[in-house]
Amino acid sequence: MNKQATPSINKPIFIVGAGHSGTSLLTDIITRERNIVRWSENNKTWIWGNAFNKSDILTSDDVTPRIKTHITKRFSQYLAQTNGERICDKTPKNCLRIPFILSIFPDAKIIHIVRDGRAVISSTHAQIEKKAYPLVQQLKVKLRGSSILDWYVFLPRLIFVLKKVLGVPTDYWGSKPPDWEEWSEDSRNIKLSKQWSRTVSIAREQGQKFSPQNYLEIHYEDLISSPRETIAQVVQFAEIENPHAIIDFAESKIDPSRNKKRLQSLDANDLTEIMNVIEPTLLNLGYK
């Protein structure tokens, strides 16, 4: 590719899904293609101009010429810095922003990975209960690739970051659907159950309105049980020209027992509380 100062963005790939649904694993696999560069947890770029919204929902109505110019410029800069040909952006909260993404990148390839909500909630509990994060590590992650002019986007999350640094329990982690503030008095299990159900349902409803050339839905369970077949589907959808390294890596990387361990970590009381909320969504997705 002819490396330009501001290369054009061609068919960017977006990995979306409720947190802990396998977005990192899928991104690891896709970016084994040497010309596809990874951009992870890019939330600061996506909320630029909308940083003080109460939820993570963004639609085509939220795209202004200024915001579109900023985001496309940041993508071009990142592509130039990394010497890649395509970008694979893994920002799970983008599952609530599918129309927003496609208003900016009409040729985007959006892959929504869905995982059994019980395993997602179990994994999220583990994330919330992690020990304190080193301050320097948090600052590096949050500010990497940001200019001083962009730092204002972190202000709404300042209290959350301080809690993680100090090791204070947060009781909430991840995407914020439109009604998330109404759950403040619920138990953590109920909060996370509502979060998963609403996030997945909104992403599917939004995504399925668009062309099959723009939106693909896969299940985490299919990825770990049939990696070759599932990644072949992903490769065809994303129009990846050299799939062999990706498919071979997927088969070597995947641990089929991982999901089972998560499901078994929930005790009977937790499972009952969770299922009271998420069972309709699970059934709608085809889970038993």
Side-chain angles (χ1 to χ4, degrees), residues 108-125:
K109 300 290 185 177
I110 299 175
I111 305 171
H112 178 202
I113 183 166
V114 176
R115 185 182 185 184
D116 188 320
R118 292 163 289 191
V120 169
I121 293 164
S122 171
S123 184
T124 307
H125 275 306

Side-chain angles (χ1 to χ4, degrees), residues 42 47 57 88-89 119 134 149 157 174 183 186 249 252 272 275 277:
N42 189 23
I47 64 172
I57 281 279
C88 180
D89 176 301
L149 296 176
R157 288 178 54 81
W183 313 334
D186 293 332
F249 178 74
S252 66
T272 298
M275 286 297 290
V277 177

Side-chain angles (χ1 to χ4, degrees), residues 264-282:
Q264 291 176 339
S265 69
L266 295 169
D267 66 33
N269 291 332
D270 285 339
L271 191 57
T272 298
E273 190 175 24
I274 290 166
M275 286 297 290
N276 284 337
V277 177
I278 72 170
E279 185 172 13
T281 306
L282 282 175

Side-chain angles (χ1 to χ4, degrees), residues 3-16:
K3 307 299 179 191
Q4 304 172 12
T6 54
S8 60
I9 306 301
N10 178 44
K11 297 179 182 177
I13 302 167
F14 296 95
I15 309 301
V16 305

Side-chain angles (χ1 to χ4, degrees), residues 7-286:
S8 60
I9 306 301
N10 178 44
K11 297 179 182 177
I13 302 167
F14 296 95
I15 309 301
V16 305
H20 294 266
S21 291
T23 54
S24 294
L25 173 62
L26 183 57
T27 306
D28 286 345
I29 293 168
I30 289 175
T31 52
R32 293 299 290 186
E33 161 56 60
R34 59 187 179 86
N35 293 319
I36 301 176
V37 295
R38 177 189 191 120
W39 203 356
S40 292
E41 308 298 337
N42 189 23
N43 197 53
K44 59 181 176 289
T45 298
W46 291 106
I47 64 172
W48 191 90
N50 291 294
F52 292 91
N53 289 10
K54 290 184 177 181
S55 77
D56 289 321
I57 281 279
L58 290 173
T59 71
S60 56
D61 293 335
D62 296 301
V63 180
T64 66
R66 184 166 170 260
I67 288 172
K68 183 174 181 177
T69 297
H70 174 81
I71 292 176
T72 53
K73 181 180 178 181
R74 288 293 295 120
F75 268 70
S76 293
Q77 289 172 339
Y78 188 79
L79 202 57
Q81 292 165 5
T82 53
N83 294 320
E85 293 184 5
R86 294 177 72 184
I87 289 179
C88 180
D89 176 301
K90 188 218 79 160
T91 305
K93 291 180 181 181
N94 278 350
C95 59
L96 297 175
R97 302 166 182 156
I98 291 173
F100 184 84
I101 294 170
L102 287 167
S103 293
I104 297 171
F105 299 109
D107 63 347
K109 300 290 185 177
I110 299 175
I111 305 171
H112 178 202
I113 183 166
V114 176
R115 185 182 185 184
D116 188 320
R118 292 163 289 191
V120 169
I121 293 164
S122 171
S123 184
T124 307
H125 275 306
Q127 174 74 32
I128 289 173
E129 291 164 4
K130 277 186 177 179
K131 294 181 180 178
Y133 286 58
L135 177 59
V136 173
Q137 176 187 329
Q138 280 290 296
L139 290 176
K140 283 182 178 180
V141 171
K142 300 299 179 188
L143 300 180
R144 185 183 297 129
S146 302
S147 71
I148 293 176
L149 296 176
D150 293 337
W151 286 8
Y152 83 95
V153 303
F154 301 110
L155 291 176
R157 288 178 54 81
L158 185 59
I159 294 176
F160 175 82
V161 172
L162 288 174
K163 283 184 176 181
K164 295 304 292 182
V165 169
L166 297 172
V168 177
T170 61
D171 277 339
Y172 197 89
W173 184 91
S175 60
K176 295 176 180 177
D179 46 359
W180 75 278
E181 290 181 307
E182 299 174 9
W183 313 334
S184 60
E185 302 301 319
D186 293 332
S187 69
R188 186 200 291 174
N189 274 334
I190 298 297
K191 286 179 184 177
L192 297 181
S193 298
K194 290 180 178 179
Q195 177 195 41
W196 175 82
S197 184
R198 290 284 286 130
T199 298
V200 171
S201 297
I202 290 171
R204 298 187 82 214
E205 181 182 356
Q206 290 182 341
Q208 290 173 2
K209 291 178 180 178
F210 292 94
S211 166
Q213 294 182 348
N214 292 120
Y215 176 80
L216 173 69
E217 182 179 301
I218 65 170
H219 282 224
Y220 176 84
E221 293 77 15
D222 293 334
L223 177 60
I224 63 174
S225 64
S226 305
R228 178 170 288 273
E229 293 80 0
T230 305
I231 294 302
Q233 182 185 11
V234 168
V235 163
Q236 182 178 13
F237 165 77
E239 299 180 42
I240 297 172
E241 295 180 356
N242 302 304
H244 302 295
I246 292 176
I247 293 173
D248 291 344
F249 178 74
E251 291 191 307
S252 66
K253 172 83 173 177
I254 285 170
D255 175 10
S257 68
R258 195 171 177 179
N259 210 44
K260 186 177 180 180
K261 293 174 184 176
R262 283 296 176 198
L263 291 171
Q264 291 176 339
S265 69
L266 295 169
D267 66 33
N269 291 332
D270 285 339
L271 191 57
T272 298
E273 190 175 24
I274 290 166
M275 286 297 290
N276 284 337
V277 177
I278 72 170
E279 185 172 13
T281 306
L282 282 175
L283 293 172
N284 191 38
L285 288 165

